[in-house]
Amino acid sequence: MLPVSVPLTWPRSLAETEPPLSATEVEVSLFGPGRGEAIALHLGHGDWMLVDSCVDSQRRPAALAYLESIGVGFERVVLVVATHWHDDHIGGLAEVVRACPRADFVYSGALRTREFHALVGLYSERSHMESSGVAEFAEITRIFKAQKGRTPRPAMESRRLWFREEPGPPSVVEALSPCDAEVLRSQEALAELLPKENSRKRAVVASEPNHASVVLSVAFGETCLLLGADLEETSNAATGWSALLERAKLPGPSSVYKVPHHGSPNAEQPRVWKEALCEHPWALVAPFVWGGVKRPDEADQERLRERTDRVYLTATPDRSVRQRSLPVEKTLAEMQARPVYADPPMGQVRLRCEAENKDEWRVTLFGPAFRL
Amino acid sequence: MNEKAHPVEFLEEVDARPIEQPDLLARYVNFGESGPKLRYMVAAVKPDLPRAPLFSDVASAVPGELPRRQFIEPAVWPTPRVQKETFIPLQRWEGTVIECQEETFFARLTDLTTDGPAEEVELLLDDVPEEDRPLVEPGAVFYWAIGHLVKPSGERPRISNLRFRRLPVWSASELDAARERAADVAEVFGGN
């Protein structure tokens, strides 16, 4: 079935133009500008899960804007998951948590450490230096302190985060990571970000590997999805994708794969394609551009195409240049400096199918999203 | 000097005029031997005195026929009004270093001239003033402006001006306050 392309303007209203989701229909949408990603997933019977957050050009969380556009009330969101705290997965997350009062908020168990608490404590009051990841968690802390009785929950490997037996088909969301060893490594990396007395202040630039990401397995009847977050493959057999495959009890081969870490080779484990996914899965990728990094680059794209012929990107990882006055342009040219937009426009890849018909995903591409 | 200094009126007439005959003028206003270094002058006059002579009158006066006007000692030596270099910015950014390489660094930019989305740029370390280079590390904050440097001569070369902020250091009391806030975070998120 050929994908349908739809121009994307935010905000928009799709409620009147699109058929409503049936109770037994599963939908997964991946949103991604040039940097950042978020997922909205229909778990059946009107229940929704949101994973991570990124904001659109109007600084609104993309997933909330989308739900509004298809006429879904935020009270239908039952689960919000923060896979990790890096800026590109967390923009607008506090607003999501605030807007979805019924949702359980689940975060990576690696963020239960005193090192991360200290990081939030250190930078939450310093607006000129805060990273958005730290700032979002500081705001989420304030939200939960004000809402007694609502408590966030940590995700660890093999932990069931949400399930619904009835009405069927049964739906289950389970965390496949992080494991204890990954929490420990994340703790060490976070400790390195903490300043010492008399050390010079600076902004937090998170560069530690994504040991602590929450990989999610979603089963809805016979249909399974694997959402890879940013988990990387490591040289340590106790962590990363190899370790996950050794320990995870998957409900079945997944037909949809949110490709981990923006298609980066350091998150590639060939066994995942063989052991955790069905043949020719639908692979969804949100690009990442940051400094000198561009993912997926041409080699990544080629590698992904070899894995499956159904690779979809939310946006192109290429960035455009902002034009300025001639004197400024001339000076920039003399300096060999070329400022580019940090975040290219938002795109969305949406898949829908009936729960019992896992090989019949209908694809809709919004905005700059495209098929490789 | 008991008289009230009253330099302004005279200043307006002689200010910034080169003194062509400094010896004559020095004697006239009782300056002593200022010599040829004296290029500009200002004098104070008693408020009730008749208006001071124009500079041209002073310069052309003959020592024996000096005007019978009473001068007092000059009260003010003004800083010469020399026009300074002025920087006129065309574009300003605030940046945060996100990645350092051997000869370049990448930075995230916020446009301070016109509102706009965030940008990123790769800059040469050579473009950073030498005294700021030790500050270039991930997380460092800098200001960057491109504009015209207007010189007294009228030249207007385009320049790039990039300076790093010298952020203060973390104090013990700030770290203590942060620990208290961390306790709030731990209360919500639990853990060890």
Side-chain angles (χ1 to χ4, degrees):
Chain A
M1 193 177 294
L2 286 174
V4 177
S5 284
V6 179
L8 181 59
T9 48
W10 301 87
R12 61 205 170 153
S13 176
L14 298 174
E16 293 173 4
T17 57
E18 302 233 326
L21 278 170
S22 75
T24 56
E25 200 170 9
V26 61
E27 172 189 316
V28 58
S29 273
L30 178 66
F31 308 89
R35 179 172 174 268
E37 68 177 52
I39 294 169
L41 203 151
H42 180 234
L43 298 162
H45 299 281
D47 293 328
W48 287 81
M49 170 174 75
L50 304 182
V51 182
D52 291 337
S53 182
C54 61
V55 293
D56 60 26
S57 58
Q58 298 177 18
R59 311 301 300 165
R60 280 209 68 192
L64 293 185
Y66 172 65
L67 290 185
E68 203 167 71
S69 75
I70 58 170
V72 173
F74 300 152
E75 72 283 356
R76 300 313 309 260
V77 179
V78 295
L79 186 62
V80 174
V81 181
T83 62
H84 59 305
W85 70 278
H86 286 174
D87 293 0
D88 59 314
H89 286 252
I90 226 84
L93 189 70
E95 192 178 335
V96 171
V97 170
R98 188 183 285 111
C100 304
R102 276 191 60 229
D104 269 349
F105 175 61
V106 173
Y107 60 97
S108 167
L111 306 185
R112 274 186 107 211
T113 57
R114 68 168 72 89
E115 286 77 8
F116 186 69
H117 302 159
L119 202 65
V120 176
L122 279 163
Y123 289 98
S124 58
E125 296 290 307
R126 317 200 70 80
S127 62
H128 65 286
M129 293 191 300
E130 69 192 18
S131 79
S132 72
V134 173
E136 293 289 343
F137 269 92
E139 184 58 24
I140 291 168
T141 301
R142 286 189 275 272
I143 292 170
F144 279 106
K145 274 187 81 78
Q147 294 180 358
K148 299 292 179 196
R150 193 179 175 205
T151 310
R153 290 189 291 134
M156 293 293 291
E157 68 169 338
S158 306
R159 190 167 290 183
R160 182 176 283 192
L161 303 180
W162 186 87
F163 72 99
R164 188 192 58 237
E165 293 286 346
E166 294 291 338
S171 184
V172 181
V173 179
E174 187 175 308
L176 304 181
S177 69
C179 64
D180 289 336
E182 285 159 346
V183 171
L184 194 62
R185 286 191 67 182
S186 171
Q187 204 169 0
E188 290 164 0
L190 286 167
E192 285 176 19
L193 294 175
L194 297 176
K196 308 262 185 313
E197 190 179 334
N198 292 324
S199 62
R200 194 175 288 282
K201 291 173 181 170
R202 59 191 179 95
V204 187
V205 178
S207 57
E208 101 272 19
N210 299 281
H211 302 304
S213 281
V214 180
V215 173
L216 295 168
S217 156
V218 181
F220 184 51
E222 294 292 306
T223 303
C224 299
L225 302 91
L226 183 62
L227 309 180
D230 271 4
L231 188 67
E232 296 178 21
E233 179 62 336
T234 68
S235 54
N236 183 344
T239 62
W241 280 102
S242 299
L244 184 149
L245 289 170
E246 292 301 323
R247 289 192 293 263
K249 293 185 181 115
L250 297 168
S254 293
S255 55
V256 173
Y257 183 36
K258 201 295 287 179
V259 176
H261 209 205
H262 319 281
S264 171
N266 63 16
E268 168 74 0
Q269 168 50 264
R271 283 177 58 202
V272 173
W273 298 88
K274 289 177 187 160
E275 298 172 26
L277 305 174
C278 64
E279 278 190 41
H280 307 289
W282 279 258
L284 312 184
V285 187
F288 177 87
V289 280
W290 175 255
V293 179
K294 167 186 160 180
R295 297 290 175 209
D297 63 15
E298 286 70 20
D300 300 329
Q301 294 178 22
E302 187 55 39
R303 190 188 67 248
L304 288 167
R305 264 195 300 262
E306 285 170 9
R307 302 287 182 211
T308 176
D309 55 350
R310 292 163 172 160
V311 184
Y312 295 90
L313 264 73
T314 58
T316 167
D318 299 314
R319 299 189 280 188
S320 56
V321 174
R322 182 173 174 181
Q323 289 299 318
R324 292 194 155 83
S325 66
L326 194 58
V328 175
E329 290 289 338
K330 277 190 164 180
T331 312
L332 289 170
E334 286 158 12
M335 296 175 69
Q336 299 176 42
R338 205 83 200 103
V340 293
Y341 285 118
D343 302 309
M346 170 79 67
Q348 176 186 350
V349 179
R350 186 180 73 183
L351 308 182
R352 283 180 170 179
C353 87
E354 281 294 329
E356 305 305 326
N357 200 2
K358 62 183 178 184
D359 290 331
E360 289 297 329
W361 289 97
R362 302 188 309 280
V363 182
T364 310
L365 304 173
F366 295 91
F370 65 102
R371 183 178 184 171
L372 267 185
Chain B
M1 183 177 69
N2 297 322
E3 292 83 0
K4 185 179 175 186
H6 191 234
V8 176
E9 187 181 5
F10 197 55
L11 184 67
E12 287 173 352
E13 295 181 13
V14 301
D15 179 41
R17 288 191 186 193
I19 296 173
E20 293 166 2
Q21 296 173 287
D23 290 349
L24 171 62
L25 187 64
R27 282 205 308 278
Y28 182 70
V29 294
N30 196 23
F31 264 55
E33 296 298 322
S34 298
K37 289 181 185 172
L38 182 66
R39 295 201 56 230
Y40 301 96
M41 69 162 291
V42 64
V45 295
K46 289 180 180 175
D48 55 342
L49 285 177
R51 185 180 176 80
L54 291 176
F55 188 83
S56 55
D57 295 334
V58 175
S60 60
V62 177
E65 299 173 355
L66 292 174
R68 293 195 303 172
R69 291 183 177 122
Q70 184 183 357
F71 276 76
I72 58 172
E73 278 187 73
V76 182
W77 280 102
T79 306
R81 262 197 268 161
V82 178
Q83 196 182 358
K84 292 179 179 172
E85 291 181 341
T86 312
F87 180 67
I88 301 176
L90 299 171
Q91 175 64 50
R92 294 184 303 126
W93 291 276
E94 182 183 301
T96 303
V97 177
I98 57 175
E99 187 184 328
C100 293
Q101 298 189 346
E102 201 170 324
E103 294 181 348
T104 65
F105 64 96
F106 288 90
R108 185 113 174 153
L109 301 175
T110 302
D111 192 327
L112 301 178
T113 306
T114 53
D115 202 16
E119 292 168 88
E120 277 185 22
V121 70
E122 182 178 16
L123 291 166
L124 289 165
L125 276 171
D126 274 353
D127 290 325
V128 179
E130 206 160 319
E131 64 270 26
D132 284 5
R133 282 184 205 164
L135 301 172
V136 182
E137 59 175 350
V141 177
F142 63 91
Y143 294 104
W144 180 26
I146 288 173
H148 288 292
L149 185 67
V150 181
K151 295 185 172 183
S153 62
E155 286 179 282
R156 290 164 54 90
R158 273 180 288 107
I159 65 161
S160 160
N161 186 8
L162 200 154
R163 296 310 301 250
F164 274 74
R165 270 187 78 174
R166 280 155 175 78
L167 289 168
V169 296
W170 288 99
S171 67
S173 60
E174 285 175 314
L175 293 177
D176 286 343
R179 277 185 205 106
E180 283 179 27
R181 291 194 295 273
D184 277 351
V185 183
E187 193 182 315
V188 170
F189 288 99
N192 48 37

